[in-house]
Amino acid sequence: MPADLPNPPTPPDRLPHHVVIVMDGNGRWAQQRSLPRTAGHREGAKTVRRIVQACSERGIEVLTLFAFSSENWRRPRREVEVLMNLFLTTLRSEIRRLDTANVRLRFIGNPSAFSPTLQDYIAKAQQRTAKNTGLTLVVAANYGGRWDIAQAARRLSEEIMAGQLQPRDVTPDILQRYVCLSDLPEPDLFIRTAGEQRISNFLLWQLAYTELYFTDRLWPDFDVDDLEAACAAFASRQRRFGLTSEQIARSSHA
Ligand code: IPE
Ligand code: IPE
Ligand code: MG
């Protein structure tokens, strides 16, 4: 098939319920054009709008985007400032559109390091869209997978100290209740753009059985057709969850 033909849409029953994306490559996109890295972040924000709309229209239930990692604070001060401003301006300009599109917006990560204005906007945006029933859009901001597991362990320890739980009761199922996203379907498909094949401290606990998909496309260039290609790859895979292919084939014919 010639490379420029659009990918046919994946049938709705084969689509992932929950897609997570590490939006990488903004800096390289800008550098290739001799622009400052921050120009890449601005262009990347436009991709977010396109992909959110596509997921919403395709009936995907949850889209989780890695916007800022707990390690990204270590970037040059000016770049961090631009990113913080971009979060605020994007949130301001998009919230009405998201709300109208019935999108429920959620944030995961530790918000306490953000400016009071940004924290306030985050809280208001979540409240405003809390009852929406369309796409759940989760933005991971100041998020780290190790932080997530540690905060779950801390909350569990508090319950143990309060005598509400015994140490022997701590199982994976119990810990699962305390990690972020525990009330949502587990991630089915993980997409990372820009050629890097690593998790970079994203959803370490939640990705246990997620299908991984890597593309060289830089995030600002990632389009709806690239999303289709990722969904098609997902639909072609057999998820076994530790079972054999024969067991899976038997249960799908049952
Ligand atoms: C991802 O793009 C955006 C954030 C991490 C905030 P990068 O800024 O990491 O882009 P590259 O990896 O330098 O190209
Ligand atoms: C991961 O990308 C974080 C986000 C996309 C927000 P990075 O660009 O920070 O990851 P590394 O440093 O290349 O692993
Ligand atoms: Mg990067």
Side-chain angles (χ1 to χ4, degrees), residues 186-206:
E186 288 199 358
D188 299 301
L189 171 62
F190 166 104
I191 301 172
R192 181 165 185 151
T193 58
E196 247 58 75
Q197 303 197 354
R198 54 177 173 259
I199 295 177
S200 299
N201 198 19
F202 198 22
L203 303 158
L204 298 178
W205 175 278
Q206 296 84 345

Side-chain angles (χ1 to χ4, degrees), residues 1-8 217 225-226 228-229:
M1 188 163 66
D4 54 357
L5 273 187
N7 287 290
R217 192 83 78 207
D225 200 42
D226 295 318
E228 267 325 324

Side-chain angles (χ1 to χ4, degrees), residues 22-24 66-69 72 75 192 196 198 200:
V22 177
M23 310 182 288
D24 198 15
F66 203 4
F68 193 84
S69 76
N72 288 146
R75 291 193 176 195
R192 181 165 185 151
E196 247 58 75
R198 54 177 173 259
S200 299

